[in-house]
Amino acid sequence: MTRLLIVGPPGAGKGTQASRITSVYGIPDISTGDIFRANIKNETPLGVQVKAIVDAGDYVPDSLTNQLVADRLGEDDAKDGFLLDGYPRTLAQVDYLDDLLGSQGQKLDAVIQLVADQDELVARLTKRAQEQGRADDSEEAIRHRQEVYLRETSPLIDVFRERGLLVEVDGLGDIDQVGERINAALAERGIVPRAAAR
Ligand code: ADP
């Protein structure tokens, strides 16, 4: 059972590495950003409620985000482990997740922090904006998301470091290089790929 978080500033490659981790470790990738975007696309009541917030690059209220994660972690495929991607992003979300896992006798095994420099991040996001046309990849929204991350989410890094859960990984390099670094860092903590665990 492997319960992981992946954190890092917008553009650090969380989504890309998260899908790699999913296949290597056999745990579902639970991305709150993806869930919000799917709801927006399908015009669900939640999607309609959060569209303007997400498009502007602001954070969805904790109450909505926490409930969404609680529901998702309650699904069968998350019983044996998961990778949370994009959650928790605020200290209130950390508290909520602690309580949620604690009430089930569970806890996190590690928090992967992808580290990358600011200029590289903006370059990557600008490229993605051209390729994918995400509504929150406008230059203004990108800059705003970086600011919100620094203010709201970077303090979480210290919390996880103090708990001894933080695994820092250099996010610069190609997808496989970064993936190998993640594997090596997790292996040091006794967290091994699914096949090797058998
Ligand atoms: P990025 O990796 O570029 O930051 P994400 O796909 O993780 O983007 O998230 C996109 C948007 O979805 C965020 O800017 C925010 O509006 C919303 N969102 C995702 N996760 C959370 C969360 N944990 N709390 C609040 N809002 C969230």
Side-chain angles (χ1 to χ4, degrees), residues 15-78:
T16 307
Q17 292 302 329
S19 37
R20 192 177 183 281
I21 291 169
T22 290
S23 49
V24 175
Y25 294 86
I27 50 177
D29 165 22
I30 301 179
S31 159
T32 43
D34 283 351
I35 298 173
F36 285 132
R37 277 188 292 280
N39 277 275
I40 292 169
K41 184 158 171 266
N42 297 324
E43 298 181 351
T44 67
L46 175 68
V48 171
Q49 201 175 353
V50 304
K51 180 176 171 26
I53 301 172
V54 172
D55 284 356
D58 286 315
Y59 286 175
V60 173
D62 288 334
S63 55
L64 286 176
T65 309
N66 286 335
Q67 189 57 52
L68 178 127
V69 169
D71 291 346
R72 181 63 187 84
L73 290 183
E75 287 176 30
D76 271 353
D77 66 336

Short mmCIF file of all heavy atoms in Angstrom, two decimals, residues 15-78:
data_model
loop_
_atom_site.label_atom_id
_atom_site.label_comp_id
_atom_site.label_asym_id
_atom_site.label_seq_id
_atom_site.Cartn_x
_atom_site.Cartn_y
_atom_site.Cartn_z
N GLY A 15 1.68 16.50 -13.58
CA GLY A 15 0.74 15.63 -14.30
C GLY A 15 1.45 14.53 -15.07
O GLY A 15 1.06 13.36 -15.02
N THR A 16 2.51 14.90 -15.75
CA THR A 16 3.28 13.95 -16.56
C THR A 16 3.89 12.86 -15.67
O THR A 16 3.78 11.67 -15.95
CB THR A 16 4.43 14.69 -17.28
OG1 THR A 16 3.87 15.79 -17.99
CG2 THR A 16 5.17 13.78 -18.21
N GLN A 17 4.53 13.27 -14.60
CA GLN A 17 5.16 12.29 -13.71
C GLN A 17 4.10 11.47 -12.97
O GLN A 17 4.31 10.29 -12.69
CB GLN A 17 6.11 12.97 -12.72
CG GLN A 17 7.34 13.56 -13.40
CD GLN A 17 8.16 12.54 -14.20
OE1 GLN A 17 8.20 11.36 -13.85
NE2 GLN A 17 8.80 12.99 -15.27
N ALA A 18 2.97 12.10 -12.67
CA ALA A 18 1.91 11.38 -11.97
C ALA A 18 1.42 10.21 -12.80
O ALA A 18 1.24 9.10 -12.28
CB ALA A 18 0.76 12.32 -11.62
N SER A 19 1.24 10.41 -14.11
CA SER A 19 0.74 9.27 -14.89
C SER A 19 1.81 8.18 -14.99
O SER A 19 1.49 6.98 -15.00
CB SER A 19 0.20 9.66 -16.26
OG SER A 19 0.95 10.67 -16.82
N ARG A 20 3.07 8.56 -14.98
CA ARG A 20 4.15 7.57 -14.98
C ARG A 20 4.14 6.77 -13.66
O ARG A 20 4.24 5.54 -13.66
CB ARG A 20 5.48 8.29 -15.16
CG ARG A 20 6.64 7.37 -15.47
CD ARG A 20 7.91 8.19 -15.71
NE ARG A 20 9.02 7.33 -16.07
CZ ARG A 20 9.72 6.62 -15.21
NH1 ARG A 20 9.41 6.67 -13.92
NH2 ARG A 20 10.72 5.86 -15.60
N ILE A 21 3.99 7.48 -12.56
CA ILE A 21 3.98 6.82 -11.25
C ILE A 21 2.81 5.84 -11.16
O ILE A 21 2.94 4.74 -10.63
CB ILE A 21 3.90 7.88 -10.12
CG1 ILE A 21 5.22 8.67 -10.07
CG2 ILE A 21 3.60 7.23 -8.76
CD1 ILE A 21 5.15 9.92 -9.19
N THR A 22 1.67 6.25 -11.70
CA THR A 22 0.50 5.38 -11.72
C THR A 22 0.81 4.03 -12.35
O THR A 22 0.50 2.98 -11.79
CB THR A 22 -0.63 6.06 -12.53
OG1 THR A 22 -1.10 7.15 -11.77
CG2 THR A 22 -1.78 5.12 -12.75
N SER A 23 1.46 4.06 -13.51
CA SER A 23 1.71 2.77 -14.16
C SER A 23 2.83 2.00 -13.47
O SER A 23 2.74 0.79 -13.33
CB SER A 23 1.97 2.94 -15.67
OG SER A 23 2.94 3.94 -15.88
N VAL A 24 3.85 2.70 -12.97
CA VAL A 24 4.97 1.99 -12.34
C VAL A 24 4.56 1.38 -10.99
O VAL A 24 4.92 0.26 -10.67
CB VAL A 24 6.18 2.93 -12.17
CG1 VAL A 24 7.30 2.24 -11.40
CG2 VAL A 24 6.70 3.38 -13.53
N TYR A 25 3.81 2.14 -10.20
CA TYR A 25 3.50 1.70 -8.84
C TYR A 25 2.10 1.08 -8.69
O TYR A 25 1.74 0.61 -7.62
CB TYR A 25 3.67 2.86 -7.85
CG TYR A 25 5.12 3.29 -7.74
CD1 TYR A 25 5.65 4.21 -8.62
CD2 TYR A 25 5.96 2.72 -6.78
CE1 TYR A 25 6.99 4.58 -8.56
CE2 TYR A 25 7.30 3.08 -6.71
CZ TYR A 25 7.80 4.01 -7.60
OH TYR A 25 9.13 4.36 -7.54
N GLY A 26 1.33 1.14 -9.77
CA GLY A 26 0.01 0.51 -9.74
C GLY A 26 -0.96 1.17 -8.79
O GLY A 26 -1.77 0.50 -8.15
N ILE A 27 -0.87 2.48 -8.66
CA ILE A 27 -1.82 3.21 -7.82
C ILE A 27 -2.50 4.29 -8.67
O ILE A 27 -1.90 4.80 -9.61
CB ILE A 27 -1.12 3.88 -6.60
CG1 ILE A 27 0.12 4.69 -7.05
CG2 ILE A 27 -0.74 2.84 -5.55
CD1 ILE A 27 0.82 5.43 -5.92
N PRO A 28 -3.77 4.60 -8.37
CA PRO A 28 -4.45 5.61 -9.19
C PRO A 28 -3.90 7.01 -8.96
O PRO A 28 -3.51 7.37 -7.84
CB PRO A 28 -5.91 5.51 -8.73
CG PRO A 28 -5.85 4.95 -7.36
CD PRO A 28 -4.63 4.06 -7.31
N ASP A 29 -3.88 7.77 -10.04
CA ASP A 29 -3.47 9.18 -10.00
C ASP A 29 -4.73 10.00 -9.81
O ASP A 29 -5.62 10.00 -10.66
CB ASP A 29 -2.79 9.50 -11.35
CG ASP A 29 -2.63 11.00 -11.59
OD1 ASP A 29 -2.64 11.78 -10.62
OD2 ASP A 29 -2.48 11.38 -12.77
N ILE A 30 -4.82 10.67 -8.69
CA ILE A 30 -6.00 11.48 -8.40
C ILE A 30 -5.61 12.94 -8.50
O ILE A 30 -4.95 13.48 -7.61
CB ILE A 30 -6.57 11.12 -7.01
CG1 ILE A 30 -6.94 9.63 -7.01
CG2 ILE A 30 -7.77 12.02 -6.68
CD1 ILE A 30 -7.49 9.13 -5.69
N SER A 31 -5.97 13.56 -9.62
CA SER A 31 -5.60 14.95 -9.88
C SER A 31 -6.83 15.83 -9.71
O SER A 31 -7.79 15.72 -10.48
CB SER A 31 -5.06 15.09 -11.30
OG SER A 31 -5.16 16.43 -11.74
N THR A 32 -6.80 16.69 -8.70
CA THR A 32 -7.96 17.56 -8.49
C THR A 32 -8.16 18.49 -9.69
O THR A 32 -9.29 18.75 -10.09
CB THR A 32 -7.82 18.36 -7.19
OG1 THR A 32 -6.49 18.86 -7.09
CG2 THR A 32 -8.14 17.51 -5.98
N GLY A 33 -7.05 18.96 -10.29
CA GLY A 33 -7.17 19.82 -11.48
C GLY A 33 -7.89 19.09 -12.61
O GLY A 33 -8.79 19.65 -13.25
N ASP A 34 -7.52 17.83 -12.85
CA ASP A 34 -8.18 17.04 -13.91
C ASP A 34 -9.66 16.85 -13.59
O ASP A 34 -10.51 16.92 -14.48
CB ASP A 34 -7.54 15.66 -14.05
CG ASP A 34 -6.20 15.71 -14.79
OD1 ASP A 34 -5.86 16.78 -15.33
OD2 ASP A 34 -5.51 14.68 -14.81
N ILE A 35 -9.96 16.58 -12.32
CA ILE A 35 -11.36 16.36 -11.95
C ILE A 35 -12.17 17.65 -12.16
O ILE A 35 -13.26 17.62 -12.73
CB ILE A 35 -11.48 15.85 -10.50
CG1 ILE A 35 -10.77 14.50 -10.35
CG2 ILE A 35 -12.95 15.72 -10.08
CD1 ILE A 35 -10.67 13.97 -8.91
N PHE A 36 -11.59 18.78 -11.74
CA PHE A 36 -12.30 20.05 -11.98
C PHE A 36 -12.48 20.30 -13.47
O PHE A 36 -13.57 20.68 -13.91
CB PHE A 36 -11.55 21.22 -11.33
CG PHE A 36 -11.69 21.29 -9.83
CD1 PHE A 36 -10.57 21.46 -9.02
CD2 PHE A 36 -12.94 21.18 -9.23
CE1 PHE A 36 -10.70 21.52 -7.63
CE2 PHE A 36 -13.07 21.23 -7.84
CZ PHE A 36 -11.95 21.41 -7.04
N ARG A 37 -11.42 20.08 -14.25
CA ARG A 37 -11.54 20.34 -15.69
C ARG A 37 -12.57 19.44 -16.35
O ARG A 37 -13.33 19.88 -17.22
CB ARG A 37 -10.18 20.19 -16.39
CG ARG A 37 -9.31 21.44 -16.27
CD ARG A 37 -8.05 21.34 -17.12
NE ARG A 37 -7.12 20.35 -16.62
CZ ARG A 37 -6.28 20.55 -15.60
NH1 ARG A 37 -6.23 21.71 -15.01
NH2 ARG A 37 -5.48 19.60 -15.19
N ALA A 38 -12.64 18.17 -15.92
CA ALA A 38 -13.64 17.26 -16.50
C ALA A 38 -15.05 17.75 -16.15
O ALA A 38 -15.96 17.71 -16.99
CB ALA A 38 -13.42 15.84 -15.97
N ASN A 39 -15.22 18.21 -14.92
CA ASN A 39 -16.55 18.73 -14.53
C ASN A 39 -16.91 19.99 -15.30
O ASN A 39 -18.08 20.18 -15.67
CB ASN A 39 -16.58 19.01 -13.02
CG ASN A 39 -16.87 17.76 -12.21
OD1 ASN A 39 -18.02 17.39 -12.02
ND2 ASN A 39 -15.83 17.08 -11.77
N ILE A 40 -15.93 20.83 -15.56
CA ILE A 40 -16.19 22.06 -16.32
C ILE A 40 -16.59 21.69 -17.75
O ILE A 40 -17.56 22.20 -18.30
CB ILE A 40 -14.95 22.97 -16.29
CG1 ILE A 40 -14.73 23.52 -14.88
CG2 ILE A 40 -15.09 24.11 -17.30
CD1 ILE A 40 -13.40 24.22 -14.66
N LYS A 41 -15.84 20.76 -18.32
CA LYS A 41 -16.09 20.35 -19.70
C LYS A 41 -17.49 19.77 -19.84
O LYS A 41 -18.21 20.05 -20.80
CB LYS A 41 -15.04 19.32 -20.10
CG LYS A 41 -15.10 18.87 -21.53
CD LYS A 41 -13.75 18.30 -21.99
CE LYS A 41 -13.86 17.65 -23.35
NZ LYS A 41 -14.10 16.19 -23.25
N ASN A 42 -17.89 18.96 -18.86
CA ASN A 42 -19.20 18.31 -18.93
C ASN A 42 -20.33 19.17 -18.37
O ASN A 42 -21.47 18.71 -18.29
CB ASN A 42 -19.15 16.97 -18.18
CG ASN A 42 -18.17 16.00 -18.83
OD1 ASN A 42 -18.04 15.98 -20.05
ND2 ASN A 42 -17.47 15.22 -18.02
N GLU A 43 -19.98 20.37 -17.96
CA GLU A 43 -20.97 21.31 -17.43
C GLU A 43 -21.82 20.71 -16.31
O GLU A 43 -23.04 20.89 -16.27
CB GLU A 43 -21.84 21.87 -18.57
CG GLU A 43 -20.99 22.64 -19.58
CD GLU A 43 -21.80 23.24 -20.73
OE1 GLU A 43 -23.01 22.93 -20.85
OE2 GLU A 43 -21.22 24.03 -21.49
N THR A 44 -21.17 19.98 -15.41
CA THR A 44 -21.87 19.46 -14.23
C THR A 44 -22.14 20.64 -13.29
O THR A 44 -21.53 21.70 -13.45
CB THR A 44 -21.00 18.44 -13.48
OG1 THR A 44 -19.87 19.15 -12.93
CG2 THR A 44 -20.50 17.32 -14.38
N PRO A 45 -23.01 20.45 -12.28
CA PRO A 45 -23.24 21.55 -11.33
C PRO A 45 -21.92 22.03 -10.69
O PRO A 45 -21.70 23.23 -10.57
CB PRO A 45 -24.17 20.92 -10.29
CG PRO A 45 -24.90 19.84 -11.04
CD PRO A 45 -23.91 19.30 -12.04
N LEU A 46 -21.05 21.09 -10.32
CA LEU A 46 -19.75 21.49 -9.75
C LEU A 46 -18.94 22.28 -10.78
O LEU A 46 -18.35 23.31 -10.45
CB LEU A 46 -18.96 20.24 -9.30
CG LEU A 46 -17.53 20.51 -8.81
CD1 LEU A 46 -17.54 21.29 -7.49
CD2 LEU A 46 -16.74 19.21 -8.65
N GLY A 47 -18.94 21.81 -12.01
CA GLY A 47 -18.18 22.47 -13.07
C GLY A 47 -18.65 23.90 -13.29
O GLY A 47 -17.84 24.83 -13.40
N VAL A 48 -19.95 24.07 -13.32
CA VAL A 48 -20.52 25.41 -13.51
C VAL A 48 -20.11 26.31 -12.35
O VAL A 48 -19.75 27.48 -12.54
CB VAL A 48 -22.06 25.32 -13.64
CG1 VAL A 48 -22.70 26.71 -13.62
CG2 VAL A 48 -22.44 24.57 -14.92
N GLN A 49 -20.11 25.73 -11.15
CA GLN A 49 -19.77 26.49 -9.95
C GLN A 49 -18.31 26.96 -9.93
O GLN A 49 -18.01 28.05 -9.46
CB GLN A 49 -20.04 25.59 -8.74
CG GLN A 49 -20.23 26.29 -7.43
CD GLN A 49 -20.61 25.30 -6.33
OE1 GLN A 49 -20.86 24.12 -6.57
NE2 GLN A 49 -20.65 25.77 -5.11
N VAL A 50 -17.41 26.13 -10.46
CA VAL A 50 -15.98 26.45 -10.30
C VAL A 50 -15.31 27.03 -11.55
O VAL A 50 -14.16 27.45 -11.49
CB VAL A 50 -15.16 25.22 -9.81
CG1 VAL A 50 -15.74 24.68 -8.52
CG2 VAL A 50 -15.06 24.12 -10.87
N LYS A 51 -16.01 27.05 -12.66
CA LYS A 51 -15.37 27.43 -13.94
C LYS A 51 -14.62 28.77 -13.87
O LYS A 51 -13.44 28.86 -14.24
CB LYS A 51 -16.39 27.47 -15.07
CG LYS A 51 -15.76 27.87 -16.40
CD LYS A 51 -16.74 27.81 -17.54
CE LYS A 51 -16.24 28.40 -18.85
NZ LYS A 51 -14.81 28.42 -19.11
N ALA A 52 -15.28 29.79 -13.39
CA ALA A 52 -14.66 31.13 -13.40
C ALA A 52 -13.41 31.14 -12.50
O ALA A 52 -12.40 31.77 -12.83
CB ALA A 52 -15.66 32.17 -12.95
N ILE A 53 -13.49 30.43 -11.39
CA ILE A 53 -12.37 30.38 -10.43
C ILE A 53 -11.16 29.70 -11.07
O ILE A 53 -10.03 30.21 -11.04
CB ILE A 53 -12.78 29.60 -9.16
CG1 ILE A 53 -13.99 30.24 -8.47
CG2 ILE A 53 -11.60 29.47 -8.20
CD1 ILE A 53 -14.55 29.40 -7.32
N VAL A 54 -11.41 28.53 -11.66
CA VAL A 54 -10.32 27.75 -12.25
C VAL A 54 -9.71 28.50 -13.43
O VAL A 54 -8.48 28.59 -13.57
CB VAL A 54 -10.81 26.35 -12.66
CG1 VAL A 54 -9.74 25.61 -13.46
CG2 VAL A 54 -11.21 25.54 -11.43
N ASP A 55 -10.56 29.08 -14.28
CA ASP A 55 -10.05 29.81 -15.46
C ASP A 55 -9.17 30.98 -15.04
O ASP A 55 -8.21 31.33 -15.73
CB ASP A 55 -11.20 30.32 -16.33
CG ASP A 55 -11.83 29.20 -17.14
OD1 ASP A 55 -11.33 28.07 -17.08
OD2 ASP A 55 -12.84 29.47 -17.83
N ALA A 56 -9.48 31.60 -13.92
CA ALA A 56 -8.69 32.75 -13.46
C ALA A 56 -7.40 32.31 -12.76
O ALA A 56 -6.54 33.14 -12.47
CB ALA A 56 -9.53 33.60 -12.50
N GLY A 57 -7.28 31.02 -12.45
CA GLY A 57 -6.09 30.54 -11.76
C GLY A 57 -6.16 30.69 -10.25
O GLY A 57 -5.14 30.61 -9.57
N ASP A 58 -7.36 30.91 -9.73
CA ASP A 58 -7.54 30.96 -8.27
C ASP A 58 -7.85 29.58 -7.73
O ASP A 58 -8.19 28.67 -8.49
CB ASP A 58 -8.68 31.93 -7.92
CG ASP A 58 -8.26 33.38 -8.12
OD1 ASP A 58 -7.14 33.72 -7.69
OD2 ASP A 58 -9.04 34.14 -8.71
N TYR A 59 -7.77 29.42 -6.40
CA TYR A 59 -8.09 28.14 -5.80
C TYR A 59 -9.58 28.02 -5.53
O TYR A 59 -10.21 28.96 -5.04
CB TYR A 59 -7.32 27.94 -4.48
CG TYR A 59 -5.85 27.63 -4.65
CD1 TYR A 59 -5.02 27.52 -3.55
CD2 TYR A 59 -5.31 27.43 -5.92
CE1 TYR A 59 -3.66 27.24 -3.69
CE2 TYR A 59 -3.96 27.14 -6.07
CZ TYR A 59 -3.14 27.06 -4.96
OH TYR A 59 -1.81 26.78 -5.10
N VAL A 60 -10.09 26.84 -5.84
CA VAL A 60 -11.48 26.51 -5.53
C VAL A 60 -11.59 26.47 -4.00
O VAL A 60 -10.64 26.06 -3.32
CB VAL A 60 -11.81 25.13 -6.15
CG1 VAL A 60 -13.17 24.63 -5.73
CG2 VAL A 60 -11.69 25.20 -7.68
N PRO A 61 -12.74 26.89 -3.43
CA PRO A 61 -12.87 26.87 -1.96
C PRO A 61 -12.56 25.48 -1.37
O PRO A 61 -12.92 24.46 -1.94
CB PRO A 61 -14.33 27.25 -1.72
CG PRO A 61 -14.70 28.05 -2.93
CD PRO A 61 -13.92 27.48 -4.07
N ASP A 62 -11.90 25.49 -0.21
CA ASP A 62 -11.51 24.24 0.44
C ASP A 62 -12.68 23.29 0.65
O ASP A 62 -12.53 22.08 0.50
CB ASP A 62 -10.86 24.54 1.81
CG ASP A 62 -9.47 25.15 1.66
OD1 ASP A 62 -8.81 24.90 0.62
OD2 ASP A 62 -9.05 25.88 2.57
N SER A 63 -13.84 23.85 1.02
CA SER A 63 -14.98 22.97 1.33
C SER A 63 -15.32 22.10 0.12
O SER A 63 -15.53 20.88 0.27
CB SER A 63 -16.18 23.81 1.75
OG SER A 63 -16.46 24.76 0.75
N LEU A 64 -15.35 22.69 -1.07
CA LEU A 64 -15.69 21.92 -2.27
C LEU A 64 -14.59 20.92 -2.61
O LEU A 64 -14.86 19.76 -2.92
CB LEU A 64 -15.84 22.87 -3.47
CG LEU A 64 -17.09 23.74 -3.54
CD1 LEU A 64 -17.00 24.68 -4.74
CD2 LEU A 64 -18.32 22.85 -3.67
N THR A 65 -13.35 21.39 -2.52
CA THR A 65 -12.21 20.54 -2.91
C THR A 65 -12.08 19.36 -1.94
O THR A 65 -11.87 18.22 -2.36
CB THR A 65 -10.92 21.37 -2.93
OG1 THR A 65 -11.14 22.55 -3.71
CG2 THR A 65 -9.78 20.59 -3.53
N ASN A 66 -12.21 19.63 -0.65
CA ASN A 66 -12.09 18.57 0.35
C ASN A 66 -13.14 17.48 0.14
O ASN A 66 -12.83 16.29 0.21
CB ASN A 66 -12.22 19.15 1.76
CG ASN A 66 -10.99 19.93 2.18
OD1 ASN A 66 -9.89 19.69 1.68
ND2 ASN A 66 -11.17 20.86 3.10
N GLN A 67 -14.37 17.91 -0.11
CA GLN A 67 -15.45 16.93 -0.29
C GLN A 67 -15.19 16.06 -1.52
O GLN A 67 -15.38 14.84 -1.50
CB GLN A 67 -16.80 17.66 -0.41
CG GLN A 67 -18.00 16.72 -0.40
CD GLN A 67 -18.02 15.85 0.86
OE1 GLN A 67 -17.94 16.36 1.97
NE2 GLN A 67 -18.09 14.53 0.69
N LEU A 68 -14.72 16.73 -2.58
CA LEU A 68 -14.42 16.01 -3.82
C LEU A 68 -13.37 14.93 -3.57
O LEU A 68 -13.49 13.80 -4.03
CB LEU A 68 -13.94 17.05 -4.83
CG LEU A 68 -13.51 16.64 -6.21
CD1 LEU A 68 -14.28 17.47 -7.20
CD2 LEU A 68 -12.03 16.88 -6.40
N VAL A 69 -12.34 15.28 -2.81
CA VAL A 69 -11.26 14.32 -2.54
C VAL A 69 -11.75 13.20 -1.63
O VAL A 69 -11.44 12.03 -1.86
CB VAL A 69 -10.04 15.05 -1.94
CG1 VAL A 69 -9.01 14.06 -1.41
CG2 VAL A 69 -9.40 15.96 -2.98
N ALA A 70 -12.56 13.55 -0.64
CA ALA A 70 -13.10 12.51 0.25
C ALA A 70 -13.91 11.50 -0.56
O ALA A 70 -13.76 10.28 -0.38
CB ALA A 70 -13.97 13.15 1.34
N ASP A 71 -14.74 12.00 -1.47
CA ASP A 71 -15.54 11.09 -2.31
C ASP A 71 -14.63 10.21 -3.17
O ASP A 71 -14.84 9.01 -3.27
CB ASP A 71 -16.47 11.89 -3.23
CG ASP A 71 -17.57 12.61 -2.46
OD1 ASP A 71 -17.78 12.27 -1.27
OD2 ASP A 71 -18.20 13.52 -3.03
N ARG A 72 -13.63 10.84 -3.76
CA ARG A 72 -12.76 10.08 -4.68
C ARG A 72 -11.94 9.03 -3.94
O ARG A 72 -11.76 7.91 -4.42
CB ARG A 72 -11.84 11.07 -5.43
CG ARG A 72 -10.91 10.42 -6.44
CD ARG A 72 -11.67 9.75 -7.56
NE ARG A 72 -10.79 8.98 -8.46
CZ ARG A 72 -10.40 7.73 -8.23
NH1 ARG A 72 -10.80 7.08 -7.14
NH2 ARG A 72 -9.63 7.10 -9.09
N LEU A 73 -11.44 9.38 -2.74
CA LEU A 73 -10.64 8.41 -1.98
C LEU A 73 -11.51 7.27 -1.45
O LEU A 73 -11.00 6.23 -1.06
CB LEU A 73 -9.90 9.10 -0.83
CG LEU A 73 -8.75 10.03 -1.22
CD1 LEU A 73 -8.07 10.59 0.02
CD2 LEU A 73 -7.73 9.32 -2.12
N GLY A 74 -12.81 7.49 -1.42
CA GLY A 74 -13.73 6.45 -0.97
C GLY A 74 -14.00 5.40 -2.04
O GLY A 74 -14.61 4.36 -1.76
N GLU A 75 -13.56 5.65 -3.25
CA GLU A 75 -13.80 4.68 -4.32
C GLU A 75 -12.84 3.49 -4.19
O GLU A 75 -11.76 3.61 -3.62
CB GLU A 75 -13.66 5.35 -5.70
CG GLU A 75 -14.85 6.26 -5.99
CD GLU A 75 -14.71 7.04 -7.29
OE1 GLU A 75 -14.07 6.52 -8.23
OE2 GLU A 75 -15.24 8.17 -7.36
N ASP A 76 -13.30 2.36 -4.74
CA ASP A 76 -12.58 1.09 -4.56
C ASP A 76 -11.11 1.12 -4.96
O ASP A 76 -10.26 0.58 -4.25
CB ASP A 76 -13.27 -0.01 -5.38
CG ASP A 76 -14.36 -0.68 -4.56
OD1 ASP A 76 -14.44 -0.37 -3.34
OD2 ASP A 76 -15.10 -1.50 -5.12
N ASP A 77 -10.81 1.75 -6.09
CA ASP A 77 -9.45 1.68 -6.60
C ASP A 77 -8.45 2.43 -5.72
O ASP A 77 -7.24 2.25 -5.88
CB ASP A 77 -9.38 2.20 -8.05
CG ASP A 77 -9.69 3.68 -8.15
OD1 ASP A 77 -10.38 4.22 -7.25
OD2 ASP A 77 -9.24 4.31 -9.12
N ALA A 78 -8.94 3.27 -4.80
CA ALA A 78 -8.03 4.02 -3.94
C ALA A 78 -7.78 3.33 -2.60
O ALA A 78 -7.00 3.81 -1.78
CB ALA A 78 -8.58 5.44 -3.72
#
